[in-house]
Amino acid sequence: QVQLVESGGGSVQPGGSRRLSCAASGSIRSIDAMGWYRQVPGKQRELVATITGGGTTNYADSVKGRFTISRDNDKNTVYLQMNSLKPEDTAVYTCNAQCTRIRGRIGCVDYWAQGTQVTVSS
């Protein structure tokens, strides 16, 4: 089984910074892409940023230039550095490991973390 454990959520003032981490553990052979999504009550979950194993990144327009996603493949860990935070960034941020291949198994599975709250408020 694979577990995704997030850290770094919390409260921050507008204009501040926050760094989220998400570590995947288990009998992992590889993970195609890792990413961050966010959701506020009453709205659909939206993509924030993704990164492939080769380092190709993709960002939502709303966070470009402010957020940076990075990844440590050896540790199966993905990070989200969030700068110049705005109140509209307030959401539950959830980490995703897309197409995770497990040792001894065929195929791949997507895994999701439980989510961590980020609140941007003065």
Side-chain angles (χ1 to χ4, degrees):
Q1 188 62 290
V2 172
Q3 281 192 319
L4 299 181
V5 179
E6 299 164 324
S7 61
S11 296
V12 61
Q13 292 189 338
S17 298
R18 202 82 185 178
R19 189 191 194 212
L20 303 180
S21 300
C22 175
S25 62
S27 298
I28 298 169
R29 185 156 48 92
S30 66
I31 303 174
D32 278 6
M34 299 187 79
W36 292 94
Y37 295 74
R38 66 186 182 186
Q39 188 172 21
V40 297
K43 292 188 177 181
Q44 286 190 331
R45 183 164 56 193
E46 65 173 2
L47 178 146
V48 177
T50 61
I51 183 168
T52 67
T56 300
T57 58
N58 180 44
Y59 294 93
D61 287 343
S62 59
V63 306
K64 282 180 181 176
R66 300 188 298 122
F67 291 11
T68 302
I69 190 170
S70 60
R71 176 174 171 174
D72 185 331
N73 290 330
D74 290 339
K75 296 180 179 179
N76 291 319
T77 299
V78 64
Y79 307 94
L80 186 68
Q81 178 65 44
M82 303 183 292
N83 298 329
S84 302
L85 282 161
K86 305 175 182 179
E88 50 264 43
D89 294 317
T90 295
V92 174
Y93 285 73
T94 305
C95 167
N96 165 257
Q98 181 181 348
C99 196
T100 301
R101 292 178 175 80
I102 306 300
R103 293 189 181 91
R105 295 188 185 178
I106 297 172
C108 64
V109 179
D110 291 354
Y111 289 94
W112 292 86
Q114 288 196 338
T116 186
Q117 177 72 43
V118 174
T119 301
V120 184
S121 173
S122 56

